[in-house]
Amino acid sequence: MVEIISVRFKNGGKEYYFNPNGTQFQVGDGVIVETTKGTEYAQCVRANSMIDEIELTAPLRPVVRRAAPEDLRTLEKNREREKHAMTVCQQKIAEHGLDMKLVRAEYGFDGGKVLFFFTSEGRVDFRALVKDLAATLHTRIELRQIGVRDEAKLLGGLGICGKPFCCSQFLEEFQPVSIKMAKTQNLSLNPTKISGTCGRLMCCLKYEQEAYEDLVKRAPKQESFVETPDGAGTVSGVNLLRQTSQVRLESDPESPRTYHNCELCVIRSGKGKRPEGYVEPPLEELAKRRRQEEGGTALVSEEDSLAAAIEAAFPSRGPREEQHREEREDRRPNRRNRRRHPKGEGGEPKHEAEGAGERKPREEGGDRRPNRRRRHRTKGGGGKPSGPQE
């Protein structure tokens, strides 16, 4: 076992192990360490701890000392010098007419070297630029070409989620991201929605990829022929997060039903056709596959849960209210019948002789509204027919 502390040279950078030489450090303490680039200032992100020597990939370098107030002033002075170096370098790039974009300048802690980061689409011959900068700044010059993802990590900013870039906050190394991850997670393949500010695929696509790959292994493929508790059918849709699938049953293909993946038995994966010679088991045997809750009751389908939610939001009339409504309708008189049949004594409708008030339907020759012109021609004086009677 070896005692170490973990330090970081800049926000979002990689952590490095150093030997504390018996000195106790706390998280957030400034330390001066010796690196291959010379003396550097770093910040402790992990206090003294013991690790196995197998985890070490290189010999430990000792910590020079704890950072003093003078070291912090030197650090602030270097930050001011970096601003001046950026201005000078941008002027020299414009004078030499180089196709490069300057991103950042960093001075070493001892001030003996300045490092410039830049981006470019191709290779750049900057030998003349280095000589001109060395003569102006009177220090060693180093230019390093980086990619657009490294540029976003150095500059920082806010992503489309509203939070700071992951690469500038906690990502130590960039993980490879592919368009296949977006397809596996059923995301929109619109480049503006799955790309970060740097123009590359978002690093967060990698975070949940393993979980989605595990869910894909448990879920049936599209157009698979499966057995359900209600019969055999074909998978028409898969919801990976809910672990459910939509199935078009052979008995009712027009209305797909939703089942949990544990209720399905895949007969043919991804083919969509009924296998030759396949005999569907009886429904009693298929019903045993229906998923049960912990209490032993069957799960409620989405349609039933939706109906229950609607009933809770808009409760229907109870049996007592229905009875009162029917009684009020019975008490209400029918105005149309009251006009045709005036009430007599006792409130009963007054009729003439039986059959006198009946009307013949039209198909039997009767007419509700007789033609007055025809009646006037056929009737004589006194309301009797003028023609001969049989």
Side-chain angles (χ1 to χ4, degrees):
M1 303 295 288
V2 181
E3 184 181 13
I4 57 94
I5 64 169
S6 182
V7 302
R8 185 174 290 168
F9 294 97
K10 51 189 174 183
N11 293 335
K14 191 176 180 180
E15 294 184 9
Y16 296 90
Y17 293 153
F18 283 87
N19 185 1
N21 284 334
T23 307
Q24 295 293 325
F25 293 95
Q26 301 295 330
V27 176
D29 292 346
V31 295
I32 305 299
V33 295
E34 188 70 27
T35 65
T36 55
K37 300 179 182 180
T39 305
E40 295 289 343
Y41 174 87
Q43 191 173 18
C44 180
V45 295
R46 182 178 173 184
N48 299 55
S49 58
M50 306 296 293
I51 65 170
D52 196 348
E53 295 182 3
I54 301 177
E55 299 182 17
L56 299 178
T57 57
L60 283 177
R61 291 177 177 268
V63 176
V64 178
R65 54 184 170 81
R66 191 190 300 271
E70 294 78 6
D71 298 325
L72 298 179
R73 287 193 290 268
T74 302
L75 195 64
E76 292 296 330
K77 184 179 179 180
N78 290 337
R79 296 292 178 266
E80 297 296 331
R81 297 175 63 185
E82 289 173 0
K83 296 179 182 179
H84 174 68
M86 282 283 292
T87 304
V88 173
C89 187
Q90 288 176 350
Q91 295 175 355
K92 298 299 181 181
I93 290 175
E95 292 177 2
H96 289 270
L98 299 177
D99 184 15
M100 54 191 297
K101 177 184 175 183
L102 188 63
V103 177
R104 188 173 180 178
E106 289 184 0
Y107 262 93
F109 181 74
D110 54 2
K113 183 180 69 173
V114 57
L115 175 62
F116 293 99
F117 297 95
F118 71 94
T119 59
S120 179
E121 295 182 358
R123 296 179 62 87
V124 181
D125 185 7
F126 48 75
R127 289 176 292 182
L129 177 63
V130 171
K131 294 180 181 179
D132 201 355
L133 289 174
T136 304
L137 299 176
H138 305 286
T139 184
R140 288 190 302 163
I141 304 297
E142 181 179 351
L143 272 77
R144 183 176 302 174
Q145 185 174 358
I146 60 176
V148 291
R149 301 180 76 182
D150 298 290
E151 178 186 3
K153 182 173 183 177
L154 290 176
L155 298 179
L158 298 178
I160 59 175
C161 59
K163 295 184 177 181
F165 293 159
C166 298
C167 56
S168 63
Q169 291 294 311
F170 56 86
L171 284 184
E172 297 181 358
E173 297 179 354
F174 290 107
Q175 298 294 332
V177 184
S178 63
I179 195 67
K180 182 181 178 182
M181 297 180 181
K183 294 180 180 179
T184 304
Q185 301 175 26
N186 294 328
L187 298 177
S188 172
L189 299 183
N190 188 352
T192 59
K193 294 185 178 180
I194 60 177
S195 299
T197 309
C198 60
R200 300 292 188 267
L201 293 175
M202 293 187 296
C203 299
C204 54
L205 295 178
K206 180 70 175 179
Y207 299 163
E208 300 177 357
Q209 181 61 18
E210 295 181 0
Y212 274 93
E213 290 177 353
D214 183 61
L215 293 175
V216 168
K217 295 178 182 178
R218 303 179 184 180
K221 296 181 180 179
Q222 288 277 0
E223 301 299 328
S224 297
F225 187 80
V226 296
E227 290 180 351
T228 71
D230 299 321
T234 305
V235 177
S236 60
V238 178
N239 191 324
L240 293 178
L241 296 181
R242 293 187 177 183
Q243 301 185 29
T244 58
S245 302
Q246 278 192 346
V247 182
R248 295 192 306 268
L249 299 178
E250 291 184 341
S251 58
D252 189 10
E254 298 299 330
S255 56
R257 301 186 183 182
T258 303
Y259 299 93
H260 197 273
N261 293 338
C262 64
E263 298 178 317
L264 305 180
C265 178
V266 179
I267 305 300
R268 175 172 287 182
S269 178
K271 300 298 181 180
K273 296 181 180 179
R274 186 187 183 99
E276 297 181 0
Y278 170 76
V279 179
E280 183 178 342
L283 292 178
E284 292 78 7
E285 183 178 348
L286 294 176
K288 298 179 181 179
R289 296 199 181 104
R290 194 175 301 278
R291 187 186 180 194
Q292 302 291 327
E293 288 185 345
E294 296 181 358
T297 58
L299 290 177
V300 181
S301 62
E302 294 185 1
E303 293 80 2
D304 297 340
S305 60
L306 180 59
I310 295 175
E311 181 68 20
F314 306 99
S316 60
R317 297 178 178 177
R320 181 170 299 180
E321 293 185 4
E322 284 290 335
Q323 182 178 0
H324 292 334
R325 184 177 62 84
E326 293 178 358
E327 292 178 357
R328 289 195 300 268
E329 290 180 355
D330 293 341
R331 295 174 185 173
R332 186 179 303 169
N334 193 333
R335 296 182 179 180
R336 182 175 298 178
N337 295 335
R338 184 174 60 183
R339 289 173 184 173
R340 293 180 181 176
H341 310 289
K343 292 182 180 180
E345 297 180 0
E348 295 295 333
K350 182 172 63 177
H351 297 283
E352 297 180 359
E354 185 177 356
E358 296 181 358
R359 295 181 182 268
K360 294 182 180 180
R362 291 188 178 183
E363 57 269 13
E364 296 181 4
D367 192 357
R368 294 185 179 180
R369 299 183 63 182
N371 194 330
R372 296 183 179 180
R373 183 176 300 176
R374 186 185 307 168
R375 182 178 60 184
H376 178 71
R377 291 178 180 177
T378 56
K379 290 186 178 180
K384 295 183 180 180
S386 57
Q389 297 182 2
E390 295 180 0

